[in-house]
Amino acid sequence: AQSVTQLGSHVSVSEGALVLLRCNYSSSVPPYLFWYVQYPNQGLQLLLKYTSAATLVKGINGFEAEFKKSETSFHLTKPSAHMSDAAEYFCAVSGGVYGGATNKLIFGTGTLLAVQP
Amino acid sequence: ETGVTQSPTHLIKTRGQQVTLRCSSQSGHNTVSWYQQALGQGPQFIFQYYREEENGRGNFPPRFSGLQFPNYSSELNVNALELDDSALYLCASSDASGPNYGYTFGSGTRLTVV
């Protein structure tokens, strides 16, 4: 079975400060890992994904995440927070089976990021 | 390239009624998944359709059912609505033919059951 744990349901940072959102996963198969962002009253937008290539993944809007198998972690970081980064962030894991077999996303409970001026 | 389109955006239904939500997948995507996102929660997998067949289901009762059409668009049907069915319903499409597939989500349908 697969699962994701996001530590910290609320994170607050100052504008210009480092953003660190934590995600730990559990998976019995090599995982595919994703970070999504959700703005109020909107759907999910993909920030970045790990699909067993490079362990350091760069995404949109200056975000990046590092896959650490030994720590079963996939933390999301951004060097300098911007006011527009305020949103909810979800980490998700998938088994990544090809050819149409079930590859559902298992989501964490989300981290609400607040950016203070 | 068009994204995933969901309709309607908002819906209010009465307990016991039935509802149909619709999703047009992104061009070139052959797989559609539906998720339920209750307020303050992460999305929960309902089911997935691949080439018009259900291809995996989450922990949802049979009154949640779906269809996928030849053009890969999809419907989610919920019968005998309950108050707890109030949620944001998200559709996601993907191309499951290769190792680097990704999911594209629609903006969702906000269902309120009163």
Side-chain angles (χ1 to χ4, degrees):
Chain A
Q2 296 176 309
S3 65
V4 166
T5 302
Q6 291 185 242
L7 296 176
S9 58
H10 292 78
V11 170
S12 181
V13 300
S14 298
E15 191 173 20
L18 171 71
V19 175
L20 171 60
L21 305 183
R22 301 178 186 273
C23 173
N24 288 89
Y25 71 90
S26 173
S27 179
S28 57
V29 298
Y32 283 12
L33 294 159
F34 305 79
W35 275 100
Y36 284 88
V37 61
Q38 186 175 37
Y39 297 98
N41 299 314
Q42 294 190 24
L44 300 174
Q45 181 183 9
L46 180 67
L47 281 176
L48 49 81
K49 60 184 177 183
Y50 167 76
T51 56
S52 74
T55 57
L56 182 61
V57 181
K58 294 187 182 299
I60 62 172
N61 301 339
F63 285 94
E64 63 181 37
E66 186 172 8
F67 173 71
K68 292 186 177 180
K69 184 178 180 180
S70 61
E71 299 177 8
T72 61
S73 68
F74 191 58
H75 302 330
L76 181 70
T77 61
K78 181 174 181 178
S80 177
H82 191 272
M83 296 295 289
S84 61
D85 295 328
E88 188 149 28
Y89 292 78
F90 291 95
C91 181
V93 63
S94 168
V97 181
Y98 313 144
T102 301
N103 47 30
K104 64 183 180 183
L105 290 171
I106 306 297
F107 286 89
T109 52
T111 297
L112 187 62
L113 176 66
V115 182
Q116 308 299 327
Chain B
E1 139 183 309
T2 59
V4 176
T5 304
Q6 293 187 242
S7 63
T9 55
H10 294 82
L11 201 54
I12 300 175
K13 288 287 190 178
T14 302
R15 189 172 51 183
Q17 285 188 314
Q18 179 266 344
V19 68
T20 297
L21 310 182
R22 295 178 173 83
C23 172
S24 294
S25 59
Q26 181 169 312
S27 177
H29 284 184
N30 54 23
T31 302
V32 172
S33 302
W34 286 91
Y35 291 81
Q36 180 195 67
Q37 185 179 17
L39 200 62
Q41 301 293 319
Q44 298 290 316
F45 175 73
I46 302 175
F47 45 55
Q48 180 184 87
Y49 279 82
Y50 172 67
R51 294 182 176 176
E52 303 178 56
E53 297 287 331
E54 186 178 291
N55 182 40
R57 189 180 184 91
N59 188 26
F60 281 81
R63 60 189 184 84
F64 285 77
S65 63
L67 286 172
Q68 186 180 31
F69 301 99
N71 66 354
Y72 303 129
S73 65
S74 177
E75 288 181 353
L76 164 66
N77 299 290
V78 187
N79 294 322
L81 283 167
E82 301 177 359
L83 296 180
D84 285 349
D85 295 333
S86 296
L88 180 67
Y89 289 84
L90 296 165
C91 172
S93 72
S94 60
D95 176 8
S97 60
N100 291 318
Y101 61 82
Y103 299 86
T104 301
F105 279 82
S107 297
T109 294
R110 174 74 64 185
L111 173 65
T112 302
V113 183
V114 298

